[in-house]
Every structure is written in structure tokens, then in C-alpha cells.
Amino acid sequence: MSPTDPEPGAVARAADILLSGGLVVFPTDTLYGLAADPRHAGGVARVYHAKGRSTSHALPLIAGDVAQVEALAKALPAATRRLAGRFWPGPLTLIIDAAATMVSRVHGGTGRVAVRVPDQAVARALALRLGFPVVATSANRSGSSASRHAEVAAAALEGDVDLVLDSGPTPGGEPSTIVDARGETPTLIRAGAIPFSLVLEAL
């Protein structure tokens, strides 16, 4: 599959699998990720099982566009909205107060979730086809390295994945920068591809 021109039939099949509680390996801006429907309790449980990950760790989300994030959030503060307008699509993850439309295990019961709109066409297309942001955690067992190659990611999660969207090697590179801009002063949660100084300048 082309990384810039997703094949609609394959994306539709992947979205149907997510809706039924399945798991899909898909490309992101850096490495291959593992997708699930955050509204499906069984699908979310399968993510934790597949990764061997503690349920105390929240799961990040990828959205197809800003409208999906607005629908997901209780409200988007002005600073969050401004950063989204400046850096999306791209490697900036923002913390939002999530509405009660997803399984609480996704955010560990905190009501807060990390979300971004990626600069990767296949990832955006999957969320748009699902009609809701998708869980987007790295496609690997916890403690192991994630991969730029679909076949490696699929092999690492063998037996736990229902479909692989292969668009060739992903670029790799730094992870997204994570920022919480809900308060009076934005907080850097994780340094990444976008320098925090640029985030502050944008505000």
C-alpha cells in the first residue's frame, strides 16, 4: 500500500476489524503501530494482552483530523486548539480531557488521554474510516523495540494481530513531543520531534 495514497478497500477492511474488537498493525510517522477501537472493551483488552503491558499504562490515540479530536474531548482549551492548528498534522501529541465515549482502561480511569493527528496518510485514513480516533501504541511486546518494517512488527505480535497494513518501511526518527496545554502554563510531558521552544513560541 502506498504510504501517501491509502487503498480504500484495505482501509475499510481494517476499520471493520477494529469495530469488531480486532487489532491491526499500521504505519505511523515513525514506526509501525498497533491499532484498536478505544470504544471496544474487548479490543482494548487485547492490546494490553498482545503487548504484555500493565493496564496501569494509558494508551495514546491517533485521530484523522481536528474534528475527531473535538468530538472526543469534553472541551478544547484555547491553547490546545492553537497548538493543534499550528502543528497538526504532525508529531505533536496533546493531552485532552476525554468525554465518556471510550473504554476507561484506555486512559486508566484518569479521564485524560493523549492524542494527535499524524502526518501519515494511512494512519489518518484508518481513523477517518473508523469514524473515531484509534488506539495507536507501538507494535511490539513491552520491553522490545518497535520496528520500521511491517513484517517485523507482525512477527513480533504473531497470533495477536488480525490484519497488517503494509506501506513499506516507515521513516523512523524521534517520537512525538507530548504537551499538556490545559492549564495556564503548558507542560512538556515528553521531549520529541518538535522542540518545546517552538511550542512556547506558538502560544
Side-chain angles (χ1 to χ4, degrees):
M1 176 186 297
S2 166
T4 57
D5 187 22
E7 200 281 303
V11 173
R13 182 183 174 203
D16 287 343
I17 287 171
L18 297 183
L19 283 169
S20 66
L23 303 184
V24 173
V25 168
F26 72 114
T28 72
D29 294 328
T30 53
L31 303 167
Y32 272 85
L34 181 63
D37 185 340
R39 301 165 297 182
H40 195 294
V44 172
R46 286 187 62 192
V47 172
Y48 284 108
H49 178 269
K51 289 181 65 69
R53 184 175 187 174
S54 168
T55 56
S56 64
H57 290 83
L59 298 170
L61 304 179
I62 274 179
D65 55 24
V66 176
Q68 281 196 336
V69 177
E70 291 174 332
L72 174 69
K74 289 181 179 178
L76 284 184
T80 301
R81 192 180 299 276
R82 186 167 183 175
L83 292 175
R86 169 65 179 81
F87 293 106
W88 286 353
L92 179 67
T93 296
L94 296 170
I95 305 297
I96 64 170
D97 291 317
T101 49
M102 70 178 82
V103 178
S104 63
R105 289 177 74 180
V106 172
H107 50 69
T110 64
R112 301 183 301 273
V113 69
V115 63
R116 68 188 176 94
V117 176
D119 190 23
Q120 212 294 340
V122 177
R124 291 198 309 273
L126 181 57
L128 289 173
R129 180 69 189 195
L130 182 67
F132 199 81
V134 299
V135 167
T137 185
S138 56
N140 61 292
R141 307 287 184 191
S142 290
S144 301
S145 298
S147 178
R148 297 175 52 236
H149 303 277
E151 64 273 17
V152 175
L157 297 172
E158 185 177 4
D160 290 312
V161 174
D162 301 294
L163 182 70
V164 178
L165 294 177
D166 187 349
S167 66
T170 57
E174 292 185 88
S176 66
T177 302
I178 303 178
V179 171
D180 186 347
R182 295 171 302 149
E184 292 184 7
T185 304
T187 303
L188 177 66
I189 306 299
R190 182 184 70 189
I194 297 175
F196 190 49
S197 59
L198 292 183
V199 172
L200 295 177
E201 285 178 13
L203 294 174

